[in-house]
PDB file of all heavy atoms in Angstrom:
ATOM      1  N   ASP A 114      35.578  73.485   5.040  1.00  0.00           N
ATOM      2  CA  ASP A 114      35.640  74.304   6.284  1.00  0.00           C
ATOM      3  C   ASP A 114      34.476  75.283   6.374  1.00  0.00           C
ATOM      4  O   ASP A 114      34.621  76.384   6.865  1.00  0.00           O
ATOM      5  CB  ASP A 114      36.985  75.023   6.376  1.00  0.00           C
ATOM      6  CG  ASP A 114      37.285  75.423   7.865  1.00  0.00           C
ATOM      7  OD1 ASP A 114      36.905  74.644   8.762  1.00  0.00           O
ATOM      8  OD2 ASP A 114      37.939  76.474   8.063  1.00  0.00           O
ATOM      9  N   GLU A 115      33.317  74.869   5.910  1.00  0.00           N
ATOM     10  CA  GLU A 115      32.126  75.762   5.908  1.00  0.00           C
ATOM     11  C   GLU A 115      31.678  75.981   7.349  1.00  0.00           C
ATOM     12  O   GLU A 115      31.673  75.099   8.206  1.00  0.00           O
ATOM     13  CB  GLU A 115      31.017  75.087   5.079  1.00  0.00           C
ATOM     14  CG  GLU A 115      29.759  75.943   5.013  1.00  0.00           C
ATOM     15  CD  GLU A 115      28.648  75.275   4.211  1.00  0.00           C
ATOM     16  OE1 GLU A 115      28.484  74.038   4.422  1.00  0.00           O
ATOM     17  OE2 GLU A 115      27.984  75.948   3.438  1.00  0.00           O
ATOM     18  N   ILE A 116      31.214  77.210   7.629  1.00  0.00           N
ATOM     19  CA  ILE A 116      30.603  77.522   8.882  1.00  0.00           C
ATOM     20  C   ILE A 116      29.075  77.564   8.660  1.00  0.00           C
ATOM     21  O   ILE A 116      28.575  78.194   7.733  1.00  0.00           O
ATOM     22  CB  ILE A 116      31.062  78.877   9.415  1.00  0.00           C
ATOM     23  CG1 ILE A 116      32.566  78.949   9.549  1.00  0.00           C
ATOM     24  CG2 ILE A 116      30.340  79.217  10.771  1.00  0.00           C
ATOM     25  CD1 ILE A 116      33.133  78.040  10.568  1.00  0.00           C
ATOM     26  N   THR A 117      28.342  76.851   9.509  1.00  0.00           N
ATOM     27  CA  THR A 117      26.878  76.891   9.419  1.00  0.00           C
ATOM     28  C   THR A 117      26.293  77.306  10.738  1.00  0.00           C
ATOM     29  O   THR A 117      26.877  77.136  11.821  1.00  0.00           O
ATOM     30  CB  THR A 117      26.299  75.512   9.099  1.00  0.00           C
ATOM     31  OG1 THR A 117      26.699  74.543  10.062  1.00  0.00           O
ATOM     32  CG2 THR A 117      26.790  75.024   7.738  1.00  0.00           C
ATOM     33  N   ALA A 118      25.159  78.008  10.683  1.00  0.00           N
ATOM     34  CA  ALA A 118      24.391  78.405  11.859  1.00  0.00           C
ATOM     35  C   ALA A 118      23.202  77.484  11.984  1.00  0.00           C
ATOM     36  O   ALA A 118      22.584  77.065  11.009  1.00  0.00           O
ATOM     37  CB  ALA A 118      23.906  79.834  11.700  1.00  0.00           C
ATOM     38  N   GLY A 119      22.923  77.035  13.223  1.00  0.00           N
ATOM     39  CA  GLY A 119      21.785  76.269  13.525  1.00  0.00           C
ATOM     40  C   GLY A 119      20.820  76.971  14.416  1.00  0.00           C
ATOM     41  O   GLY A 119      21.234  77.560  15.412  1.00  0.00           O
ATOM     42  N   TYR A 120      19.548  76.983  14.077  1.00  0.00           N
ATOM     43  CA  TYR A 120      18.526  77.647  14.827  1.00  0.00           C
ATOM     44  C   TYR A 120      17.578  76.646  15.457  1.00  0.00           C
ATOM     45  O   TYR A 120      16.759  76.090  14.731  1.00  0.00           O
ATOM     46  CB  TYR A 120      17.716  78.627  13.981  1.00  0.00           C
ATOM     47  CG  TYR A 120      18.483  79.455  12.993  1.00  0.00           C
ATOM     48  CD1 TYR A 120      18.016  79.649  11.676  1.00  0.00           C
ATOM     49  CD2 TYR A 120      19.705  80.010  13.332  1.00  0.00           C
ATOM     50  CE1 TYR A 120      18.729  80.434  10.774  1.00  0.00           C
ATOM     51  CE2 TYR A 120      20.427  80.774  12.449  1.00  0.00           C
ATOM     52  CZ  TYR A 120      19.958  80.985  11.113  1.00  0.00           C
ATOM     53  OH  TYR A 120      20.650  81.742  10.221  1.00  0.00           O
ATOM     54  N   PRO A 121      17.706  76.328  16.724  1.00  0.00           N
ATOM     55  CA  PRO A 121      16.754  75.372  17.370  1.00  0.00           C
ATOM     56  C   PRO A 121      15.405  76.048  17.540  1.00  0.00           C
ATOM     57  O   PRO A 121      15.324  77.239  17.917  1.00  0.00           O
ATOM     58  CB  PRO A 121      17.420  75.070  18.706  1.00  0.00           C
ATOM     59  CG  PRO A 121      18.323  76.218  19.000  1.00  0.00           C
ATOM     60  CD  PRO A 121      18.738  76.827  17.699  1.00  0.00           C
ATOM     61  N   GLY A 122      14.344  75.288  17.265  1.00  0.00           N
ATOM     62  CA  GLY A 122      12.995  75.830  17.418  1.00  0.00           C
ATOM     63  C   GLY A 122      11.984  74.735  17.470  1.00  0.00           C
ATOM     64  O   GLY A 122      12.295  73.563  17.685  1.00  0.00           O
ATOM     65  N   PRO A 123      10.696  75.043  17.333  1.00  0.00           N
ATOM     66  CA  PRO A 123       9.601  74.078  17.515  1.00  0.00           C
ATOM     67  C   PRO A 123       9.626  72.955  16.501  1.00  0.00           C
ATOM     68  O   PRO A 123       9.059  71.903  16.774  1.00  0.00           O
ATOM     69  CB  PRO A 123       8.370  74.938  17.389  1.00  0.00           C
ATOM     70  CG  PRO A 123       8.776  76.139  16.616  1.00  0.00           C
ATOM     71  CD  PRO A 123      10.181  76.409  17.007  1.00  0.00           C
ATOM     72  N   MET A 124      10.276  73.125  15.347  1.00  0.00           N
ATOM     73  CA  MET A 124      10.304  72.098  14.330  1.00  0.00           C
ATOM     74  C   MET A 124      11.670  71.363  14.269  1.00  0.00           C
ATOM     75  O   MET A 124      11.925  70.635  13.362  1.00  0.00           O
ATOM     76  CB  MET A 124      10.036  72.725  12.915  1.00  0.00           C
ATOM     77  CG  MET A 124       8.691  73.435  12.842  1.00  0.00           C
ATOM     78  SD  MET A 124       7.304  72.375  13.270  1.00  0.00           S
ATOM     79  CE  MET A 124       7.347  71.250  11.859  1.00  0.00           C
ATOM     80  N   GLY A 125      12.501  71.619  15.275  1.00  0.00           N
ATOM     81  CA  GLY A 125      13.847  71.021  15.272  1.00  0.00           C
ATOM     82  C   GLY A 125      14.916  72.061  15.032  1.00  0.00           C
ATOM     83  O   GLY A 125      14.796  73.201  15.506  1.00  0.00           O
ATOM     84  N   VAL A 126      15.928  71.738  14.223  1.00  0.00           N
ATOM     85  CA  VAL A 126      17.062  72.630  13.947  1.00  0.00           C
ATOM     86  C   VAL A 126      17.061  72.998  12.485  1.00  0.00           C
ATOM     87  O   VAL A 126      17.069  72.120  11.600  1.00  0.00           O
ATOM     88  CB  VAL A 126      18.380  71.991  14.321  1.00  0.00           C
ATOM     89  CG1 VAL A 126      19.586  72.940  13.949  1.00  0.00           C
ATOM     90  CG2 VAL A 126      18.488  71.689  15.817  1.00  0.00           C
ATOM     91  N   ILE A 127      17.053  74.305  12.180  1.00  0.00           N
ATOM     92  CA  ILE A 127      17.190  74.786  10.804  1.00  0.00           C
ATOM     93  C   ILE A 127      18.654  75.207  10.627  1.00  0.00           C
ATOM     94  O   ILE A 127      19.201  75.907  11.494  1.00  0.00           O
ATOM     95  CB  ILE A 127      16.247  75.962  10.571  1.00  0.00           C
ATOM     96  CG1 ILE A 127      14.809  75.564  10.711  1.00  0.00           C
ATOM     97  CG2 ILE A 127      16.515  76.577   9.185  1.00  0.00           C
ATOM     98  CD1 ILE A 127      13.795  76.670  10.622  1.00  0.00           C
ATOM     99  N   ARG A 128      19.304  74.768   9.550  1.00  0.00           N
ATOM    100  CA  ARG A 128      20.692  75.101   9.297  1.00  0.00           C
ATOM    101  C   ARG A 128      20.777  76.100   8.139  1.00  0.00           C
ATOM    102  O   ARG A 128      20.013  76.043   7.169  1.00  0.00           O
ATOM    103  CB  ARG A 128      21.470  73.834   8.900  1.00  0.00           C
ATOM    104  CG  ARG A 128      21.566  72.774  10.018  1.00  0.00           C
ATOM    105  CD  ARG A 128      22.575  73.151  11.061  1.00  0.00           C
ATOM    106  NE  ARG A 128      22.833  72.053  11.960  1.00  0.00           N
ATOM    107  CZ  ARG A 128      23.788  71.149  11.804  1.00  0.00           C
ATOM    108  NH1 ARG A 128      24.545  71.164  10.728  1.00  0.00           N
ATOM    109  NH2 ARG A 128      23.912  70.161  12.671  1.00  0.00           N
ATOM    110  N   ALA A 129      21.748  77.009   8.218  1.00  0.00           N
ATOM    111  CA  ALA A 129      22.020  77.986   7.136  1.00  0.00           C
ATOM    112  C   ALA A 129      23.471  78.307   7.091  1.00  0.00           C
ATOM    113  O   ALA A 129      24.160  78.360   8.185  1.00  0.00           O
ATOM    114  CB  ALA A 129      21.183  79.264   7.395  1.00  0.00           C
ATOM    115  N   PRO A 130      24.087  78.493   5.897  1.00  0.00           N
ATOM    116  CA  PRO A 130      25.472  78.821   5.811  1.00  0.00           C
ATOM    117  C   PRO A 130      25.770  80.240   6.326  1.00  0.00           C
ATOM    118  O   PRO A 130      24.913  81.088   6.219  1.00  0.00           O
ATOM    119  CB  PRO A 130      25.782  78.672   4.328  1.00  0.00           C
ATOM    120  CG  PRO A 130      24.478  78.879   3.642  1.00  0.00           C
ATOM    121  CD  PRO A 130      23.437  78.356   4.559  1.00  0.00           C
ATOM    122  N   VAL A 131      26.960  80.413   6.820  1.00  0.00           N
ATOM    123  CA  VAL A 131      27.402  81.710   7.286  1.00  0.00           C
ATOM    124  C   VAL A 131      28.485  82.232   6.389  1.00  0.00           C
ATOM    125  O   VAL A 131      29.368  81.468   5.905  1.00  0.00           O
ATOM    126  CB  VAL A 131      27.967  81.594   8.733  1.00  0.00           C
ATOM    127  CG1 VAL A 131      28.646  82.937   9.161  1.00  0.00           C
ATOM    128  CG2 VAL A 131      26.902  81.230   9.730  1.00  0.00           C
ATOM    129  N   ASP A 132      28.415  83.540   6.010  1.00  0.00           N
ATOM    130  CA  ASP A 132      29.415  84.128   5.138  1.00  0.00           C
ATOM    131  C   ASP A 132      30.805  83.972   5.721  1.00  0.00           C
ATOM    132  O   ASP A 132      31.046  84.391   6.846  1.00  0.00           O
ATOM    133  CB  ASP A 132      29.050  85.633   4.920  1.00  0.00           C
ATOM    134  CG  ASP A 132      29.936  86.294   3.887  1.00  0.00           C
ATOM    135  OD1 ASP A 132      31.158  86.413   4.094  1.00  0.00           O
ATOM    136  OD2 ASP A 132      29.417  86.706   2.818  1.00  0.00           O
ATOM    137  N   ARG A 133      31.726  83.383   4.950  1.00  0.00           N
ATOM    138  CA  ARG A 133      33.060  83.173   5.482  1.00  0.00           C
ATOM    139  C   ARG A 133      33.781  84.425   5.880  1.00  0.00           C
ATOM    140  O   ARG A 133      34.509  84.461   6.893  1.00  0.00           O
ATOM    141  CB  ARG A 133      33.922  82.469   4.400  1.00  0.00           C
ATOM    142  CG  ARG A 133      33.492  81.034   4.078  1.00  0.00           C
ATOM    143  CD  ARG A 133      34.298  80.564   2.852  1.00  0.00           C
ATOM    144  NE  ARG A 133      33.859  79.248   2.401  1.00  0.00           N
ATOM    145  CZ  ARG A 133      34.536  78.091   2.646  1.00  0.00           C
ATOM    146  NH1 ARG A 133      35.644  78.153   3.314  1.00  0.00           N
ATOM    147  NH2 ARG A 133      34.064  76.966   2.194  1.00  0.00           N
TER     148      ARG A 133
END
Side-chain angles (χ1 to χ4, degrees):
D114 202 33
E115 181 182 41
I116 303 294
T117 59
Y120 318 138
M124 302 303 291
V126 176
I127 298 173
R128 296 283 189 91
V131 171
D132 187 295
R133 291 171 185 256

